[in-house]
Amino acid sequence: MSVTKVYSFESNAHVSQALGEFIAHASSEAIAKHGRFTVAFSGGSLPATACKHLRDMQSVDFSKWYVFFADERCVGLDSVDSNFRLVREELLDPLVQQGRSVPADQVMVINDTLTDSTQQVADDYLGKMQSVFTGAKTKFPEFDLVLLGIGPDGHTCSLFPNHPLLEERTAWVAPIDDSPKEPPHRITLTLPVVNHARKVAFVASGAGKASTVQAIVDERNVHLPATHVAPVNGDTYWFLDHAAAKGLSVNKPSEFKL
């Protein structure tokens, strides 16, 4: 049975430490079970929070990681808008310096020579996903972990309120050319893919996210895209600081333990 667990910490620094431990544990579980760890990162502040302590955890076998992106902006890989660049700076480059790198062919980046067409970028990324998720028993890939943030409007990945992509039921990855948040041209994992993950972890900090977190976690406001993240056979975790969790009264935070 799918469960939702909410954790609240004194500060974003404590969120980062616990999240790193959580990811490391999920990695070990997945590698022990099926020899690899498939993880999808979103952008924004999440890579810094997720990777600050994780990159120094010596128990993690990063050679078995397959890194994807929950959404990506259709920009060059060195652009300040690139989610890959964030993960490279916060995790991949430091690991290279430590001699513990994720193999380059296991980091699934967009083809940035195709960025004039978001559909071509999405089609190319689908091929990369299919090269890893082969022989699946279901029609959707099953990520070991999807790491997500939320916007003040409740968006997650690049799935925005009232957008037609919220109704997508078959595609794995979809293009979007009218993102209300810059830059407008992106690709995103779809809700069915996110909802087939074994674990989904949301990360949010600050009082500015409190009302949105409450609307999603307690009120289950269907107008907010993140509310529709409900893994079919997996679990959902919320990593919050006290400021972001302060409005919760129904799904109150529990003690963090692995």
Side-chain angles (χ1 to χ4, degrees):
M1 181 179 177
S2 179
V3 300
T4 297
K5 295 184 179 180
V6 180
Y7 304 123
S8 177
F9 304 90
E10 182 178 350
S11 67
N12 192 58
H14 290 87
V15 171
S16 182
Q17 178 68 46
L19 181 60
E21 293 173 2
F22 174 83
I23 297 169
H25 184 72
S27 170
S28 296
E29 279 189 333
I31 292 169
K33 186 173 183 179
H34 44 256
R36 68 181 188 182
F37 180 57
T38 54
V39 58
F41 284 87
S42 56
S45 62
L46 186 141
T49 302
C51 301
K52 181 178 180 180
H53 296 283
L54 174 68
R55 61 194 177 214
D56 295 320
M57 292 182 177
Q58 299 300 311
S59 64
V60 181
D61 184 356
F62 289 104
S63 71
K64 302 289 178 52
W65 278 40
Y66 286 78
V67 175
F68 292 82
F69 296 88
D71 64 327
E72 182 58 284
R73 291 81 178 274
C74 291
V75 296
L77 296 178
D78 287 324
S79 169
V80 294
D81 289 322
S82 167
N83 287 343
F84 161 72
R85 177 175 168 171
L86 289 173
V87 174
R88 185 190 70 199
E89 292 176 346
E90 298 293 342
L91 180 66
L92 302 176
D93 284 352
L95 290 177
V96 170
Q97 294 169 7
Q98 296 177 30
R100 309 166 59 221
S101 59
V102 178
D105 62 353
Q106 292 170 205
V107 181
M108 304 300 166
V109 299
I110 65 166
N111 183 340
D112 64 352
T113 69
L114 302 175
T115 53
D116 286 342
S117 167
T118 54
Q119 185 63 62
Q120 289 186 40
V121 174
D123 291 344
D124 179 78
Y125 207 74
L126 172 62
K128 292 175 178 176
M129 293 176 69
Q130 290 173 329
S131 73
V132 174
F133 295 101
T134 56
K137 295 179 182 178
T138 63
K139 61 181 179 179
F140 295 108
E142 294 182 2
F143 282 95
D144 293 308
L145 176 62
V146 176
L147 294 163
L148 300 176
I150 56 166
D153 60 353
H155 86 266
T156 194
C157 300
S158 281
L159 300 169
F160 294 92
N162 303 312
H163 197 281
L165 281 182
L166 294 173
E167 305 303 321
E168 178 59 57
R169 294 293 180 265
T170 59
W172 290 15
V173 57
I176 175 171
D177 287 303
D178 56 353
S179 166
K181 183 179 179 182
E182 292 289 331
H185 306 294
R186 305 164 174 232
I187 63 168
T188 183
L189 298 184
T190 61
L191 278 173
V193 169
V194 174
N195 284 334
H196 276 78
R198 295 180 176 95
K199 291 182 174 69
V200 176
F202 283 101
V203 184
S205 297
K209 296 290 179 68
S211 62
T212 305
V213 168
Q214 181 183 22
I216 297 165
V217 178
D218 271 2
E219 299 170 8
R220 307 301 298 165
N221 185 327
V222 297
H223 300 293
L224 304 183
T227 300
H228 298 278
V229 173
V232 178
N233 295 306
D235 298 321
T236 305
Y237 303 83
W238 286 82
F239 286 80
L240 310 169
D241 66 0
H242 290 340
K246 67 180 181 180
L248 295 177
S249 58
V250 178
N251 289 289
K252 293 182 179 180
S254 57
E255 178 186 1
F256 174 68
K257 55 185 177 180
L258 296 173

